[in-house]
Amino acid sequence: MSRVLNSLILLALGILVALPLLFIVLQAIFPQLGAGSWQGAFSALPRLLTDDALLPMGFGTLKVGLGVVLCSLIIGLPLGVLRGLFRLPGSTLWDLLFLVPFLTPPYIAALNWTLALQHNGYVQQLTGLDLESLLFSASGITLVMTINIFPVVYFAVSRALMASGQRLALVARVHGASAWRAFWHVTLPLLLPALAGSALLAFTLA
């Protein structure tokens, strides 16, 4: 039964993920594929590489992606550590609230931010602040995407800590390490795989 289920899952992933990506790659290699022709393979590549906008767009994408990763780590790491190491009031509510970005389709989130921060949007109507220039800038895009993506880091860090617990850190404390030293030399290294994976996922999403 489990083998059949795994096969169905792989088939669904192949249809929903791999197949569209394959068509994108084929369209990039064969520009006339949409017209039913396999001719002119790689003919669009020279025009793409000589486009003056390629490097600015590439660096802009890289800057936003790295900015989102950095900001997500700054927000998600301490919140994840607090959630994973301490019994906080309303911790389950934290998880539910941070799940909201994952449950919101990206186009809905983009529409919400646009309606809120555009000229004469909800924020300007309520506060008088016109934040349209912030929204439609690299900094604004980084901020908006960070708010939607940092829960990836939060959940990765908090679940990693909840799984490993504080046993090794407590051993370090027993042997004379301070709380900060135990965290820096024991807890943080244990979090590196979760941090690396969540940072990569955050960059990919951005």
Side-chain angles (χ1 to χ4, degrees):
M1 182 65 182
S2 61
R3 184 174 298 178
V4 174
L5 181 60
N6 289 335
S7 299
L8 290 175
I9 292 174
L10 289 176
L11 178 62
L13 288 175
I15 295 174
L16 298 175
V17 179
L19 193 59
L21 289 177
L22 175 62
F23 279 117
I24 291 175
V25 172
L26 289 176
Q27 183 69 47
I29 297 174
F30 304 98
Q32 305 300 323
L33 184 62
S37 173
W38 295 90
Q39 297 178 353
F42 298 104
S43 61
L45 190 59
R47 185 171 67 254
L48 173 65
L49 295 178
T50 56
D51 191 341
D52 293 337
L54 179 62
L55 284 179
M57 288 192 298
F59 283 122
T61 300
L62 185 63
K63 181 173 69 173
V64 170
L66 293 177
V68 170
V69 170
L70 178 61
C71 295
S72 296
L73 289 174
I74 292 174
I75 299 174
L77 177 58
L79 290 177
V81 169
L82 289 175
R83 176 69 176 92
L85 293 182
F86 304 100
R87 294 183 178 179
L88 301 173
S91 56
T92 304
L93 182 60
W94 285 32
D95 293 346
L96 291 175
L97 290 176
F98 292 153
L99 275 174
V100 171
F102 297 127
L103 302 176
T104 306
Y107 68 92
I108 295 295
L111 180 61
N112 290 340
W113 282 104
T114 302
L115 291 174
L117 300 182
Q118 68 181 352
H119 183 66
N120 289 328
Y122 298 136
V123 170
Q124 186 175 6
Q125 293 178 30
L126 293 174
T127 65
L129 296 175
D130 188 356
L131 300 178
E132 184 179 40
S133 59
L134 170 64
L135 176 63
F136 297 103
S137 66
S139 300
I141 292 173
T142 301
L143 173 64
V144 168
M145 297 188 76
T146 297
I147 294 174
N148 286 275
I149 291 176
F150 87 85
V152 170
V153 178
Y154 166 81
F155 282 111
V157 170
S158 61
R159 269 43 189 181
L161 287 175
M162 291 169 70
S164 63
Q166 303 185 59
R167 296 183 299 274
L168 296 178
L170 290 175
V171 171
R173 295 294 305 277
V174 168
H175 284 79
S178 64
W180 174 249
R181 188 176 180 85
F183 174 79
W184 185 258
H185 290 282
V186 178
T187 304
L188 190 59
L190 290 175
L191 287 177
L192 288 181
L195 283 174
S198 60
L200 179 60
L201 181 56
F203 180 81
T204 304
L205 292 172

